[in-house]
Structures are given as C-alpha cells and as structure tokens.
Amino acid sequence: MIRLHFTAADLCRITLAPEANALSEAVLSVRLGLSPGRARGGHGPGAGRPHRPRPAARQWHHSLRGGAGVRAGVLAELVAEDGFVPDFLLQPAAHDFAGGLEAAASTPSERLALDLGIPEVSGWNGGLARPDRWVRELAEGSPAAVRLLVDDTRRHFETSVEPLWPRIRRDALTDRALRSEMLLRGGVDALLTTLGTTWRWQAPTLHLPSAATYDVPLCGRGLLLVPSWFATGPLVMYRPEAATVLVYPMYDGADGVPGGEDRPEALAALLGRTRAQVLALLRSPATTTALAERASVSLAAASQHAGVLRGAGLVDTVRTGTAVLHSLTPLGHSLLAGTRP
C-alpha cells in the first residue's frame, strides 16, 4: 500500500496537468506492450493491483508488428518486470516530447544511479533487478549510453506513439474536464474518491494499492495529477523540491459510444461496478427506496451510493415530502453518454 499523506496546505495545492506527458506516455507504452500478459492488464508483484488497459490501448498493442520491445530498443531495458519506471523518464514539467527527452538526457549521473537503483551506487535494491552493462554505463553518465537512449526513445515515440498523439491529447483533455467538473461540484473529496476504484480516500490520506508499503508525506507542496493513456495503475514520483506527481489511468469513456459494449466497463473502472449501475439506473429519477429495488441493494447501500455520486456532481437529490428523489445532473448524463461535459 502506498499512502499519500495530505496536509491542509496540500489539499489547497492539488493541480491537474494541462495535458498528457509525451515522454512518460512513450515509456508507459513500452511497459504495456512488452508482453501479451501486460496487454491484458498484468503487472509483476511490485505494481499493485492494475486496471484493465483501455480498449483502444489494447487495440494499439495488438497492432504492433515486431512488438514494443523491438521498437523501443534500449528503452525497454529500463522498464522492470514489476512495473518499475525510473523517475528521470517521467519529466512532468516538460511541455512536449522534445523538451522531456532533452531534460531526461541532461539528468546528472548521481541522479541516474539513484533513479535506476544500482545497488552499489544508490544503496537500495528497488530498481532494476538485473541491470546490464549498458544500464550501468548509463548510470555512470556515459555520453554514448545517453545518446543511444535518446535515439531509441525518439524512434519509439515517432513510430509507435506519435501517430496516436492527437487522440491521446483529446482524451486527456476530456479527462481533465471531467476531473475539473468533479472538483468544482464536489470538492477535493469527490476528485480523490473517483480517481481509481481500488484507491481509497480516507482524509487526510489517499491509499493506493502496492505490494510494498510506502508512506509519502506531501509536506505542503501539493500533488500534481497527470493522466495517462497507457498506464494500468498508479505511478508516484516524489520530488523534494516540488509537488509529488501521481500518474493515473485516464478516464476512458472516449473509447466507447452511447450504448456501446465498452461503456459499462469504462464506468466500472471509474466508479466501481455497483456505483456505475446505480448511475445508469438514475437515467429515470428514483427515490432511495425505488433505487434500492432497481439495483437489488439494501436501502442503506442505495443511499450511500447516491450520496457519493451526489458528492461527485453526478446526481442531484431533492426532498419531496417525506422522501428524496435522485436524478442525473448534466455531468452524469455526459458521463453515461461518453461525451465531453
């Protein structure tokens, strides 16, 4: 379990990345595409419980000829079987792929050794399990090793990710609009509650699934949320000088169409299966009692699900005599339809 600990100052400093990060998307596409098992959503033991990849990402994986590892070259050697990704490859402050790649290539050798987890250099064993000669040369700052990484990363991005980039950017903007609307209507609780179905927000701590236990105090510097098209689970990057970065799988409603087969799966990934069912049932307004009957849940469960959806700005509740009536907000309708809020 990874626990992100917020202070009052951190809750005031939650920011949304303006768009997807091109360099980290290239890296995460390699991790997703290395094996058929990963395309189904599998990770090693260190990554926690993964999400199922978005349908379009699975289609992308199946369309690769020769495999992502072949196209990525040495970049594939920096992605461990347990889902480890070196921090220097994320570059959350970069505005485009070229800027991110330049920043990664300029990383000091001491930082490279720490990020790669070379035991005899960094003093920890959390990086690559079996770093080969090239990785060790990279950790030492070898210009030839850095140049090879830059060339292979650029080639992988241009051949495998760049053709999809207009769609990735569009989907990231849709996700950002959804998160912003939830923050506006329901506040921080609504935003953090709906980031992931296996993630648990229990103020003032956000709990993320992981095989190991880490406690990450945000120390008043806040949290930067970065949506990812290729991620199948959370990635946390701690920055002692700036806001901690949380990369999360972006909402994939854009992959479905109204009534399409991917809509229930997309909503279940965002809200949880029962809560997604409750949301869909409220296409027709209902009292709590009627909602409980429709969803085949207890009265208390129906009230609780409606309350969470109301807090996220997806449901309106009004009192009618001795009962309450629940109905969808415009945002709730948009979410069900897979359209922009």
Side-chain angles (χ1 to χ4, degrees), residues 218-232:
L218 302 187
C219 302
R221 292 184 291 271
L223 184 69
L224 173 62
L225 297 172
V226 181
S228 172
W229 208 79
F230 292 103
T232 56

Side-chain angles (χ1 to χ4, degrees), residues 2 4 24-25 27-29 31-32 38-44 46-54 57 82-85 90 179 195-199 206-211 225-237 245-252 269:
I2 300 174
L4 303 183
S24 64
E25 288 298 89
V27 176
L28 293 175
S29 73
R31 187 174 70 175
L32 176 65
R38 291 186 184 181
R40 292 192 297 270
H43 281 308
R49 181 181 176 183
H51 292 254
R52 183 176 172 84
R54 52 194 299 123
D82 65 355
F84 167 79
V85 174
L90 297 180
R179 308 299 177 183
L195 276 177
T197 57
T198 60
W199 307 7
L206 181 62
H207 303 257
L208 310 175
S210 175
L225 297 172
V226 181
S228 172
W229 208 79
F230 292 103
T232 56
L235 280 175
V236 176
M237 176 184 179
V245 177
L246 175 58
V247 179
Y248 65 93
M250 70 174 69
Y251 167 62
D252 61 355

Side-chain angles (χ1 to χ4, degrees), residues 20-318:
N21 182 283
L23 178 61
S24 64
E25 288 298 89
V27 176
L28 293 175
S29 73
V30 175
R31 187 174 70 175
L32 176 65
L34 277 177
S35 72
R38 291 186 184 181
R40 292 192 297 270
H43 281 308
R49 181 181 176 183
H51 292 254
R52 183 176 172 84
R54 52 194 299 123
R58 296 199 300 271
Q59 294 171 6
W60 167 86
H61 173 269
H62 294 313
S63 72
L64 292 180
R65 296 180 179 178
V70 174
R71 297 190 181 196
V74 297
L75 178 60
E77 299 180 26
L78 299 184
V79 181
E81 286 298 322
D82 65 355
F84 167 79
V85 174
D87 283 353
F88 80 97
L89 290 177
L90 297 180
Q91 297 299 330
H95 297 295
D96 54 26
F97 176 77
L101 190 58
E102 180 180 356
S106 303
T107 304
S109 58
E110 308 84 49
R111 175 67 181 273
L112 287 173
L114 288 172
D115 284 356
L116 293 169
I118 307 298
E120 59 268 32
V121 179
S122 65
W124 71 293
N125 295 309
L128 300 172
R130 294 182 299 276
D132 64 11
R133 178 179 177 181
W134 172 81
V135 174
R136 293 179 181 277
E137 291 177 353
L138 178 66
E140 294 168 359
S142 163
V146 172
R147 187 163 52 250
L148 183 58
L149 174 62
V150 168
D151 291 344
D152 285 2
T153 304
R154 181 183 294 111
R155 182 176 63 253
H156 172 71
F157 178 78
E158 292 174 350
T159 60
S160 300
V161 178
E162 193 170 32
L164 282 172
W165 195 244
R167 177 173 185 171
I168 293 173
R169 291 189 67 187
R170 183 187 70 234
D171 289 356
L173 290 174
T174 299
D175 179 274
R176 191 176 192 274
L178 174 67
R179 308 299 177 183
S180 298
E181 188 77 7
M182 286 185 170
L183 182 62
L184 178 65
R185 290 177 177 268
V188 170
D189 284 343
L191 173 66
L192 297 179
T193 297
T194 57
L195 276 177
T197 57
T198 60
W199 307 7
R200 180 167 54 90
W201 167 242
Q202 187 176 8
T205 304
L206 181 62
H207 303 257
L208 310 175
S210 175
T213 299
Y214 301 96
D215 285 284
V216 183
L218 302 187
C219 302
R221 292 184 291 271
L223 184 69
L224 173 62
L225 297 172
V226 181
S228 172
W229 208 79
F230 292 103
T232 56
L235 280 175
V236 176
M237 176 184 179
Y238 178 75
R239 301 185 296 175
E241 74 289 351
T244 295
V245 177
L246 175 58
V247 179
Y248 65 93
M250 70 174 69
Y251 167 62
D252 61 355
D255 285 333
V257 295
E261 62 179 0
D262 287 321
R263 296 299 304 144
E265 180 182 324
L267 289 179
L270 177 70
L271 301 172
R273 195 161 300 280
T274 302
R275 198 161 292 158
Q277 179 192 19
V278 168
L279 184 68
L281 290 172
L282 287 177
R283 285 190 176 98
S284 298
T287 63
T288 303
T289 301
L291 181 60
E293 292 174 352
R294 291 180 191 178
S296 299
V297 298
S298 68
L299 196 64
S303 178
Q304 192 267 341
H305 287 309
V308 172
L309 294 171
R310 181 173 60 252
L314 303 175
V315 166
D316 273 334
T317 300
V318 295

